[in-house]
Each structure stands twice: as C-alpha cells, then as structure tokens.
Amino acid sequence: MGIVSGLVLFAVIWSMTFLIALPIRVQTQGDAGEVVPGTHAGAPEQHHLGRKALWSTLVAAIIWAICATIILSGWVSVADIEGWLHPNAAPTHGTGG
C-alpha cells in the first residue's frame, strides 16, 4: 500500500465514522425548548461538531491501523478475497492464463 492509497483509505474510513457520529448526542431546538421562528423543531441546537470530528479522527486512526496492518502483513490477499467472493471459480494464478 502506497502513501496515496493509505491516505485515501484513511479518508474513506474517517468519512464513514464521521457520518456515523453525526446523529449521536444532537440536542434539537425542540429538546432545548427554544425553537427559532421559521425553523423546524428538529433543527440542531447543539451539534458538537468539533468533538465529533476529534472522536472520528481517533476512531478512524485505530480502524485504519488495523486495516493497514492486515493489508501490509499479507494476512489477507486479493486472491483470498476473490476466493471468498467466487468459491467455485477456477484459480487463474500460476496457470499461464
């Protein structure tokens, strides 16, 4: 895995963890009891984006380290994944074709 592919993998993992973290602990205007005229009661009052970005970064770094270790160590190869996806297919590596 090269530097660019490692950064792309981290960006994808970070985006997924951030999107998962967004709805956690959101205090809506309806919960706070102060609905701004012209807005929906479900609009966020406190969203804690900074904390969520920090936690997403920490969790994504841990998940990325696990994924990078598996990829770089060779515990799971592309051939293994292809074997899981297509168990009845004949192996093509080493046959000259």
Side-chain angles (χ1 to χ4, degrees):
M1 174 170 53
I3 293 174
V4 174
S5 59
L7 290 173
V8 169
L9 180 63
F10 181 78
V12 169
I13 293 171
W14 186 90
S15 299
M16 289 184 352
T17 56
F18 187 66
L19 288 174
I20 290 169
L22 276 178
I24 298 173
R25 289 191 43 189
V26 173
Q27 182 181 8
T28 64
Q29 291 180 11
D31 294 339
E34 300 175 7
V35 179
V36 177
T39 63
H40 192 274
E45 176 71 25
Q46 293 291 328
H47 44 70
H48 310 288
L49 282 181
R51 285 186 191 163
K52 290 178 183 180
L54 176 66
W55 278 105
S56 294
T57 303
L58 294 174
V59 171
I62 293 168
I63 295 171
W64 179 84
I66 293 169
C67 291
T69 301
I70 291 171
I71 291 169
L72 293 175
S73 69
W75 290 341
V76 178
S77 67
V78 174
D80 294 333
I81 295 172
E82 288 179 356
W84 296 332
L85 295 176
H86 308 289
N88 297 328
T92 58
H93 53 76
T95 59

